[in-house]
DNA sequence: TTGTGTGCAAAAGCTTTGCATGTTG
DNA sequence: CAACATGCAAAGCTTTTGCACACAA
């Protein structure tokens, strides 16, 4: 079940996309809107292939090429963000109406947690001025071990210690 | 011509690598040292393929597989760092004896500039505590347009304006 | 001597491209 | 109806794997 609030939000995002397509003299194809909608129905970080498969599952007739193509468009008009969390496969997330945030990634279970810190903005401004860059965006990822995986590792360590003792 | 200082630095790094290989019961093969040396002779960010080609050019007989393999080892023992600056192709840089730093990348000319800011460390500590993550490392990249490319864009804009006027 | 590391080539995985067809403006 | 966008499949690129051989321990 999709909430009314979400429906309105998606409608708003579609309007923004429409305006962008018009301004750039690009065509308003059904595929482009289907892809946008599918992204805004999700709440997680996703990969191009996951999105493509989900669309097939829902019996939409779109091709990988169109998915990649549309992702690029959506990045251009700032409706989604693309991330490279160390893997080769890029991850994407919707970005309209969401607070700017950064990510902490668990190197064990790959869980992604979001966080905000105002100091990032300060650093951006300061470094842009200092190095004479017009900074448009940034990507800050912290990597480490989440609480759950820390416990797992400790349990594992105890187990290994016991095994070694028996040897 | 390679300076004495650099020779000493490379020797030091090789010792660290030797110790690491010993500790992990891994073999000290000539290929591993050749790759390490080649990396520490460079001063830039490089890609796996670039390194491989440079080694071939110097008539060393190494394979791509060994290059990738050794890069992984060098990451494990903290002698190099791996970056994903938005492209699919990973970039690497030597890291021993160099201050921890982050990167600003020009989206036009792809130039990479390094910078340091102590606030990053503070954010790492604070967020680790707050979200219960044991943070091991991070990656902060800012993207924008460098001074040179800003001028180029302005010149281009003037040119386009003139052309449109003539229309 | 023994088993790990290597070279080589082929496979795998993500993304892009070319071409014929379909659809938007 | 003329471009432009799409679907499909094939190609492209980076990275990984399998296998036989070489060589460090």
């Amino acid at each position: 079940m999709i909430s009314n609030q979400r429906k309105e939000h998606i409608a708003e995002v579609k309007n923004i996309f429409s305006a962008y397509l018009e301004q750039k003299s690009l065509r308003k194809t059904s595929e482009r809107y289907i892809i946008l909608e599918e992204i805004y129905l999700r709440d997680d970080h996703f990969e191009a292939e996951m999105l493509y498969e989900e669309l097939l599952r829902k019996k939409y007739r779109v091709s990988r090429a169109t998915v990649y193509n549309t992702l690029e468009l959506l990045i251009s008009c700032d409706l989604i963000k693309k991330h490279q969390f160390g893997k080769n496969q890029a991850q994407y997330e919707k970005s309209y109406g969401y607070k700017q945030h950064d990510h902490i990634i668990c190197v064990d279970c790959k869980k992604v947690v979001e966080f905000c810190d105002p100091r990032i903005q300060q650093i951006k401004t300061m470094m842009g001025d200092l190095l004479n860059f017009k900074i448009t965006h940034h990507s800050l990822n912290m990597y480490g071990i989440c609480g759950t995986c820390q416990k797992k590792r400790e349990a594992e360590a105890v187990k290994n210690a016991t095994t070694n003792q028996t040897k």
Side-chain angles (χ1 to χ4, degrees), chain A:
Chain A
M1 186 52 201
I2 302 160
S3 74
N4 276 333
Q5 203 193 333
R6 173 152 302 199
K7 276 186 197 159
E8 279 167 34
H9 187 236
I10 292 179
E12 193 181 344
V13 171
K14 282 190 185 174
N15 284 337
I16 294 171
F17 193 35
S18 280
Y20 176 80
L21 292 174
E22 236 161 76
Q23 184 226 319
K24 292 268 179 182
S25 311
L26 296 170
R27 294 205 176 151
K28 298 178 185 176
T29 64
S30 57
E31 289 83 0
R32 287 177 175 170
Y33 288 107
I34 285 166
I35 292 169
L36 176 62
E37 178 166 324
E38 181 55 36
I39 292 171
Y40 271 78
L41 283 174
R42 311 186 68 105
D43 285 307
D44 48 353
H45 296 81
F46 61 91
E47 287 140 38
E49 186 65 22
M50 279 169 60
L51 179 61
Y52 172 65
E53 283 170 11
E54 183 59 28
L55 290 168
L56 290 193
R57 209 170 299 128
K58 294 194 177 175
K59 305 292 176 201
Y60 290 118
R61 206 164 153 284
V62 291
S63 70
R64 262 193 202 83
T66 304
V67 168
Y68 279 102
N69 208 349
T70 306
L71 286 173
E72 277 312 306
L73 281 179
L74 292 172
I75 292 168
S76 304
C77 63
D78 242 341
L79 288 175
I80 64 170
K81 287 211 183 328
K82 180 177 182 177
H83 302 289
Q84 296 271 169
F85 293 139
K87 297 192 305 174
N88 294 322
Q89 197 170 196
Q91 292 195 247
Y92 302 83
E93 67 176 329
K94 59 187 174 185
S95 60
Y96 178 72
Y98 299 91
K99 199 161 55 174
Q100 181 267 295
H101 60 259
D102 295 290
H103 298 94
I104 299 193
I105 300 105
C106 176
V107 293
D108 277 10
C109 69
K110 315 294 177 200
K111 183 173 69 179
V112 177
V113 178
E114 303 175 353
F115 73 93
C116 295
D117 195 298
R119 283 171 287 193
I120 305 297
Q121 189 50 52
Q122 296 168 16
I123 297 175
K124 269 166 91 166
T125 312
M126 186 200 268
M127 287 305 155
D129 289 355
L130 203 65
L131 300 169
N132 192 27
F133 263 72
K134 193 174 280 179
I135 296 188
T136 53
H137 60 289
H138 77 275
S139 132
L140 169 58
N141 300 316
M142 310 222 167
Y143 298 88
I145 309 159
C146 72
T148 316
C149 289
Q150 281 172 48
K151 275 180 206 142
K152 273 187 201 152
R153 283 196 176 195
E154 279 158 26
E156 201 66 32
V158 170
K159 209 179 102 189
N160 286 340
T162 320
T163 313
N164 289 338
Q165 251 178 357
T166 6
K167 261 185 198 163

